[in-house]
Amino acid sequence: MPVDAISLEVFKNLFAAVAEEMGVTLRRASFSPNIRERLDFSCAVFDAQARMIAQAAHIPVHLGSMPASVAAAVSEFEEFFPGDLVVLNDPYRGGTHLPDITMISPVFAGGDLRYFVASRAHHADVGGMTPGSAPLSTELYQEGIIIPPLKLRLSGWMNEGALDLIVANSRNPAERVGDLEAQMAAHRIGERRLLDMMIAHGVGETSEHAAALLAYSRRLTRAVIARIPDGVYHYRDAMEGDGQAEVEIPIQVRLEARGEAMTVDFSGSAPQAPGNVNAVPAIVRSAAWYCVRLLADEDIPVNHGCFEPVTVTAPAGSVLNPRFPAAVVVGNTETSQRIVDAVLGALAQALPALAPAASQGTMNNVAVGGFDGDSQFVYYETLGGGHGASSRGDGLSGRHCHMTNTLNTPVEALEYSLPMRVRRYHLRAGSGGEGRHRGGDGIAREYEMLAPATLTINSERRRYAPYGVHGGGAGARGLNTILRGDRAETVGGKHSARLEAGDRVLIETPGGGGWGRRQPSSGEL
């Protein structure tokens, strides 16, 4: 079969279907609400050179950074064998943050290594200072167990000692075993489906179409960049603190577009922070690549070809390229969102009709854990908010945005699994920014503890509101409140506290920014 438009479309969907079926398997086999209900996982297919060929429609911050994990695994081991499986989570060796455990499996055909399948899942607890492994940390060691690239399975034989070590460092070992085995089940499906493809279409034809897909995405991405007027565009935004102090931490971008290539330079951003908001380079690249893809009118297959026309740099020792062992746990969730806001702010100058206003700019991380009688429980979730409006219409309300693509956990699933009750859960009416097109509204979610617990909140946009563009208004800032009896305490964006049974936590998430000046109605003239 020659490579033509029809065959390329067929193979694009065949490769994507492998990743999608892996994701379905992982979800159905998982134990934790975070994976089963919130879908906090991602799956992808890579070639033997560790280039991403296809991904499922999962989480942008996972998928754009996963190539670094596969590259780290390939460079660590001189040789792979059928039945091998590598596991890692070290952010300084291809990971993002410690709760994201990545697995990589080789796929052989005709005795030769042809592909890799990979999955990344956010595990609700991997140890560390506080339940949920998202502490207000000052070094990586405080955030949980660090797993360098190691073979969890060797030629089909399980490395039981390594598995026991990982599980022993979790506050919920049974759940960890279940979720890790769910990832392994997903890999078995991915390996089988790739073998089926090569049997049905031939090894050479499959490989030829994989290479053609990379070239296709490269061409489409270059065409998107070519629409940006040649020039240099700047934008500055800031994080609101690092869990140690509520201080401004600048994120500064210089975006240069020339022809079909783009450079995104973060020089001028803050030095690495004492606390947990540092983001490793894989996350920075992922966020920048994502912003370019947003500009496309058509769906560009996300693979290695998309990444090649965009060069991303950040100075060593900065908050966007920290030195080991800097704390990084919310660099993945919070700083990634601010990188998107900064890059889109620069693109709004170049393409005012395309770039949207700022969305909520946070994932609103909530981690809770403690003892319910003799049983230990741990829970982690992120919360949606308002999307930024654009020239095409109002922003969405109560939804996850940009670097996260997860769901809000259903109340029933949360209350069934944990000693917690959801007292309130609704949209924050009017929290979206004013404008010709309004920003989306955030949400309010109030939890009641039914057992003593430790709470950790990591959130942003509690001080600096999500910006509007072209005269649109800013979205409402978020608000975190702890209620103990009749006493209400407003706490900062990053906060940890001990809660008793009956205490409540109210998280009000930000709205999105508005787009354009609001046109007065006839009654206002």
Side-chain angles (χ1 to χ4, degrees):
M1 182 191 297
V3 176
D4 56 28
I6 294 174
S7 68
L8 195 64
E9 183 70 15
V10 169
F11 274 88
K12 180 189 81 172
N13 287 286
L14 285 172
F15 278 114
V18 174
E20 292 283 359
E21 190 171 353
M22 288 176 66
V24 170
T25 303
L26 176 50
R27 180 186 187 182
R28 294 179 65 180
S30 64
F31 278 51
S32 66
N34 189 54
I35 297 175
R36 187 180 65 250
E37 304 291 348
R38 288 189 58 249
L39 312 187
D40 199 345
F41 62 85
S42 299
C43 300
V45 177
F46 293 76
D47 68 10
Q49 289 74 49
R51 299 178 300 183
M52 183 189 287
I53 300 298
Q55 64 166 34
H58 292 154
I59 301 174
V61 75
H62 283 182
L63 293 161
S65 57
M66 204 184 291
S69 296
V70 180
V74 171
S75 64
E76 181 71 20
F77 299 103
E78 294 182 359
E79 196 168 5
F80 287 89
F81 301 95
D84 284 357
L85 183 142
V86 176
V87 64
L88 67 92
N89 73 349
D90 187 346
Y92 293 91
R93 300 177 71 179
T96 50
H97 63 178
L98 298 182
D100 283 345
I101 295 181
T102 303
M103 290 185 182
I104 301 108
S105 298
V107 180
F108 287 80
D112 295 322
L113 174 61
R114 302 291 182 178
Y115 298 96
F116 292 96
V117 292
S119 69
R120 174 171 288 165
H122 184 119
H123 290 253
D125 189 271
V126 292
M129 291 168 60
T130 55
S133 305
L136 307 185
S137 48
T138 58
E139 58 180 359
L140 185 68
Y141 302 111
Q142 298 170 345
E143 297 176 358
I145 185 172
I146 302 170
I147 309 169
L150 61 86
K151 288 192 178 181
L152 189 62
R153 204 170 57 212
L154 301 89
S155 300
W157 293 91
M158 180 62 66
N159 185 342
E160 297 288 352
L163 180 63
D164 290 346
L165 181 63
I166 295 168
V167 170
N169 279 273
S170 174
R171 293 174 176 85
N172 194 333
E175 186 178 87
R176 287 295 67 67
V177 170
D179 286 347
L180 289 168
E181 289 186 344
Q183 281 186 262
M184 288 186 263
H187 281 237
R188 288 192 290 272
I189 288 293
E191 293 163 20
R192 192 177 308 150
R193 294 296 175 260
L194 279 172
L195 286 171
D196 291 343
M197 277 180 63
M198 289 185 281
I199 290 169
H201 301 284
V203 172
E205 186 173 310
T206 303
S207 177
E208 188 176 0
H209 279 83
L213 278 170
L214 300 185
Y216 176 61
S217 292
R218 188 184 309 116
R219 287 197 308 272
L220 292 181
T221 304
R222 285 176 174 164
V224 169
I225 295 171
R227 295 163 54 192
I228 303 172
D230 284 0
V232 177
Y233 308 93
H234 298 268
Y235 199 84
R236 183 184 185 279
D237 210 321
M239 304 291 289
E240 300 170 339
D242 64 350
Q244 305 304 308
E246 292 193 6
V247 294
E248 183 178 278
I249 302 172
I251 304 293
Q252 188 162 303
V253 64
R254 178 187 183 274
L255 190 155
E256 182 174 0
R258 299 290 176 198
E260 296 182 340
M262 176 189 292
T263 299
V264 185
D265 180 16
F266 290 94
S267 297
S269 297
Q272 70 182 55
N276 61 9
V277 298
N278 301 292
V280 294
I283 291 169
V284 181
R285 292 193 296 267
S286 180
W289 291 331
Y290 164 82
C291 292
V292 175
R293 186 169 180 259
L294 283 185
L295 303 177
D297 290 329
E298 57 185 309
D299 185 23
I300 301 177
V302 178
N303 57 42
H304 185 79
C306 297
F307 309 150
E308 292 182 18
V310 183
T311 301
V312 183
T313 61
S318 72
V319 69
L320 304 183
N321 189 1
R323 293 186 173 93
F324 179 86
V328 299
V329 67
V330 298
N332 182 55
T333 59
E334 299 305 288
T335 309
S336 67
Q337 298 283 56
R338 193 62 69 256
I339 294 167
V340 169
D341 288 345
V343 174
L344 289 181
L347 288 170
Q349 302 164 31
L351 298 168
L354 285 181
S359 294
Q360 67 163 339
T362 177
M363 297 191 197
N364 306 291
N365 305 262
V366 178
V368 179
F371 281 89
D372 183 19
D374 294 330
S375 301
Q376 191 164 194
F377 66 93
V378 181
Y379 180 64
Y380 169 86
E381 74 168 339
T382 59
L383 298 174
H387 282 224
S390 71
S391 61
R392 300 180 180 181
D394 295 345
L396 297 174
S397 297
R399 298 282 292 275
H400 288 264
C401 58
H402 292 320
M403 299 310 289
T404 174
N405 192 30
T406 56
L407 302 180
N408 298 319
T409 309
V411 171
E412 297 83 358
L414 188 156
E415 294 184 343
Y416 176 80
S417 302
L418 300 150
M420 297 167 63
R421 180 180 294 122
V422 177
R423 298 283 296 269
R424 273 189 277 174
Y425 182 37
H426 57 81
L427 293 176
R428 293 178 72 197
S431 57
E434 294 282 351
R436 185 184 310 171
H437 299 297
R438 286 187 56 90
D441 290 334
I443 66 174
R445 188 154 161 117
E446 182 182 328
Y447 312 85
E448 180 183 1
M449 301 299 120
L450 303 182
T454 298
L455 164 76
T456 306
I457 301 170
N458 282 286
S459 60
E460 281 280 322
R461 294 299 193 199
R462 269 54 181 173
R463 295 172 62 194
Y464 310 137
Y467 60 78
V469 295
H470 310 306
R477 292 173 294 185
L479 187 65
N480 304 328
T481 308
I482 297 177
L483 303 105
R484 305 178 191 271
D486 296 329
R487 182 164 55 90
E489 176 190 4
T490 299
V491 299
K494 297 168 185 67
H495 185 79
S496 189
R498 178 68 181 171
L499 304 177
E500 300 300 329
D503 289 348
R504 291 167 288 147
V505 180
L506 174 61
I507 308 294
E508 298 174 86
T509 69
W515 191 95
R517 296 189 183 280
R518 186 172 69 90
Q519 302 298 313
S521 64
S522 57
E524 296 176 309
L525 296 176

